[in-house]
Amino acid sequence: MRIVLVGFGAVGKALVGMLEAKAEELYRAHGLSPRVVCVIDSGGAAVAGRGLSAAALLAAKTRGGGGGGSVAGIEAEGAVGLRGVEAERVIKDTAADVLVETTPTSVRDASRAMGHLRAAMGAGMHAVSVNKGPLAVAMPALVQLAAHNRVMLRYSGTVGAGTPVLATARTLAAGDRIVRVRGILNGTTNFILHRMQTAGESYQDALAEAVRLGYAETDPSADVDGIDTATKVVILANAVMKMGATIGDVRVSGIRDIERSRVREAAERGMSVKLIGEIDATVGARGGAGRALSVGPAEVERGGPMDVPRNVNAVEFTLEKSGTVTLVGRGAGGDETATAIVRDLVEIWHEGGGGR
Amino acid sequence: MRIVLVGFGAVGKALVGMLEAKAEELYRAHGLSPRVVCVIDSGGAAVAGRGLSAAALLAAKTRGGGGGGSVAGIEAEGAVGLRGVEAERVIKDTAADVLVETTPTSVRDASRAMGHLRAAMGAGMHAVSVNKGPLAVAMPALVQLAAHNRVMLRYSGTVGAGTPVLATARTLAAGDRIVRVRGILNGTTNFILHRMQTAGESYQDALAEAVRLGYAETDPSADVDGIDTATKVVILANAVMKMGATIGDVRVSGIRDIERSRVREAAERGMSVKLIGEIDATVGARGGAGRALSVGPAEVERGGPMDVPRNVNAVEFTLEKSGTVTLVGRGAGGDETATAIVRDLVEIWHEGGGGR
């Protein structure tokens, strides 16, 4: 399986390393031999028909100095570096089976990542995206494009990452009807709210602590305003409930204005305040996606499975027949996201008839 | 898809009803039209090439009076009742695609259910078993038999039932390595231990309460001695970690001798005593299945995702890269188990090339 990787940050690096470390295991268990034949970053591309090694890619990235290095500076036998080339052009020109899109998510400007996915699928490649931007703004169109080109589009790293939220949802939906989903899908906000509850801190102090410990970025807007959770709600609603939604269909409120007193008062009633993304499938059936999807602060039972600490994620599925099923685990992180990409690649390999 | 159903108790009845209720949905979502062409119970069989209706089957079962009724007493157009026939014979003679085995589990005498599965797979049918007996005593042989006959053997209702424990484990194993599994897999024992903890009752009193409320059977040995949990450990270890184990490989201790003081003392340390089934894959790699598999009372963090109340199940997977993932949900029950069977049928349909 020949892979084009776009983006060579924490996730891209973890992926290339993981594919090398797991090469033998992937072949033994699935008959799969993944080969990264092209890596594209903001400075250019590295190409090698026989595969690029993690060591050579990392060396090129480091060589630039001061963070200016690009994989285009690669020096390795059989590898060619292409400085300043246009990503879409390189994608179209590379003979590969799958594109993996790992550039940073931006909902406001998703056009570049969208271009990568379009170029790949248009050229007959399967696509794996861990970038949530294109899915948030245009998932129904991307799904259609994949169907039109008879390729697979996978994105299991976008929701829950190391915790297989989408796969679990699909399994549940195969035997029963999912009537409601409630998820704690953003680690940063959960860290802040958990901290407000356990340490009695104000929102500002808890946020500062999250930034200090690396749980929040210096501009945490996408997290604390609920945008990140909303993108995940859109992806879940489309992937599992076929709602055909985009981010404009989600009623979103964040946690910026949460008062310490609200958190304390909930705790006194045996409840914890969480930022909850919710999909109400019964509303969806009646009145369109708009009213079915929401993100906002809400309460969960203290000590229950949804009362997760720190930056842990949790998703509760309410089923028509089988009660509730809750999945708890780590959310994002370079390794976790790379793990999800590997899962997608294995799935594409099997569904495409590989290993039969 | 033509189905032979063996066993017409709570699960069998729920399944036939569910297939009727979901007929339109299964066709719309998966292109699947399941048809129950043969039902076998201890009194005989009912056969109808165009499919048996739930109403006619239930009427036949009721007609016997005093619980003596058999589906063999069926009265419906196109249906034939066969009294006192041998199950294996009927299975072999029926032109069907899948056998569903739902007779009650017995680890001590699994031979009858084993015969049903062997007969079906030998005749080229796929098999779905929610009976854990044959899997506990001879899962490696059954898996081999399925491979030899190029049919699929599914059993997702045996572990967690409504909660997709096996499917989640497979998903996790596709992207990462599972190094340890710890599960609360038996509702009866969890009800008893939770009751001892929250109400301060003795084991005997808590057991009596479990029997009174229908959470335990009048002979609860298989549950409280850990046998039921051990069968689930065997199935998980084989299905996901390919350990080739049988129930003799599990070191089992139950909860009969649990003292109230032990539960109380653990609670004081912030821990809850649970009956835990454990698979340690690192031991398995070094020293064979025997030392890797165990069932016994152990402690979990109070308020953590494994600290589930009443008869809820929970399974914690420890992954090499992605930390822990915990799945929490209802265990057994007629509807939950039927849901799992429907999931298996959909999977068999898709993997067998249906709906492509």
Side-chain angles (χ1 to χ4, degrees), chain A residues 300-311:
Chain A
V300 304
E301 198 194 338
R302 200 159 173 189
M306 288 286 280
D307 188 21
V308 287
R310 297 178 303 278
N311 65 334

Side-chain angles (χ1 to χ4, degrees), chain B residues 5-18 39 57 102 130 334 338 341:
Chain B
L5 170 64
V6 192
F8 199 62
V11 173
K13 286 171 190 164
L15 176 67
V16 175
M18 196 174 283
V39 177
L57 289 164
T102 70
V130 295
I341 296 172

Side-chain angles (χ1 to χ4, degrees), chain B:
Chain B
M1 178 186 268
R2 294 159 304 176
I3 297 166
V4 178
L5 170 64
V6 192
F8 199 62
V11 173
K13 286 171 190 164
L15 176 67
V16 175
M18 196 174 283
L19 290 176
E20 282 188 10
K22 285 174 167 284
E24 200 188 320
E25 190 187 324
L26 287 170
Y27 185 74
R28 189 163 25 84
H30 306 284
L32 170 63
S33 296
R35 193 157 27 113
V36 180
V37 297
C38 176
V39 177
I40 303 170
D41 64 16
S42 54
V47 184
R50 301 180 60 181
L52 296 154
S53 78
L57 289 164
L58 287 170
K61 199 81 184 172
T62 315
R63 213 153 25 233
S70 162
V71 295
I74 195 153
E75 291 175 7
E77 211 192 303
V80 179
L82 308 164
R83 283 206 185 272
V85 286
E86 197 210 343
E88 290 186 32
R89 163 103 287 155
V90 177
I91 292 168
K92 281 181 196 153
D93 287 350
T94 305
D97 306 297
V98 187
L99 172 115
V100 180
E101 159 63 49
T102 70
T103 62
T105 289
S106 164
V107 171
R108 228 165 295 157
D109 181 17
S111 60
R112 198 181 294 229
M114 184 91 81
H116 303 156
L117 295 174
R118 283 218 178 101
M121 294 197 288
M125 291 177 212
H126 305 295
V128 175
S129 182
V130 295
N131 187 325
K132 294 180 288 287
L135 296 163
V137 301
M139 187 163 165
L142 286 168
V143 168
Q144 241 174 19
L145 187 66
H148 179 76
N149 288 288
R150 293 166 184 269
V151 297
M152 290 177 249
L153 170 65
R154 289 290 181 274
Y155 37 77
S156 75
T158 55
V159 186
T163 306
V165 175
L166 292 168
T168 304
R170 279 202 199 92
T171 305
L172 291 171
D176 204 336
R177 201 169 80 87
I178 299 176
V179 292
R180 196 166 76 134
V181 182
R182 297 179 85 206
I184 296 166
L185 299 164
N186 178 274
T188 305
T189 48
N190 200 59
F191 180 91
I192 293 170
L193 291 169
H194 183 242
R195 183 96 193 165
M196 288 176 74
Q197 180 174 329
T198 53
E201 287 180 352
S202 69
Y203 168 77
Q204 284 304 337
D205 290 348
L207 171 60
E209 184 66 9
V211 172
R212 197 180 69 78
L213 294 173
Y215 286 119
E217 312 197 22
T218 39
D219 176 7
S221 326
D223 293 321
V224 300
D225 291 337
I227 306 301
D228 177 69
T229 301
T231 63
K232 291 164 179 168
V233 163
V234 165
I235 293 168
L236 256 171
N238 290 338
V240 185
M241 281 108 138
K242 317 285 177 211
M243 283 193 178
T246 63
I247 195 151
D249 297 319
V250 191
R251 197 179 57 228
V252 186
S253 59
I255 64 161
R256 270 185 210 270
D257 304 325
I258 288 278
E259 301 282 348
R260 219 186 310 201
S261 57
R262 169 155 180 203
V263 174
R264 192 180 50 229
E265 190 222 300
E268 284 163 9
R269 281 183 285 106
M271 305 297 279
S272 299
V273 177
K274 301 288 185 186
L275 183 65
I276 301 277
E278 182 164 342
I279 304 169
D280 184 341
T282 59
V283 175
R286 285 204 306 274
R291 293 145 56 199
L293 310 178
S294 63
V295 173
E299 296 180 6
V300 303
E301 196 195 339
R302 201 158 172 189
M306 288 286 280
D307 188 22
V308 287
R310 297 179 303 277
N311 63 335
V312 175
N313 287 3
V315 186
E316 175 195 84
F317 300 94
T318 304
L319 301 160
E320 199 173 43
K321 292 278 184 192
S322 310
T324 64
V325 169
T326 311
L327 188 67
V328 176
R330 270 201 231 169
D335 271 354
E336 286 81 357
T337 306
T339 293
I341 296 172
V342 173
R343 271 205 312 264
D344 282 347
L345 294 173
V346 168
E347 202 180 300
I348 286 174
W349 173 245
H350 282 300
E351 294 208 4
R356 288 221 176 129

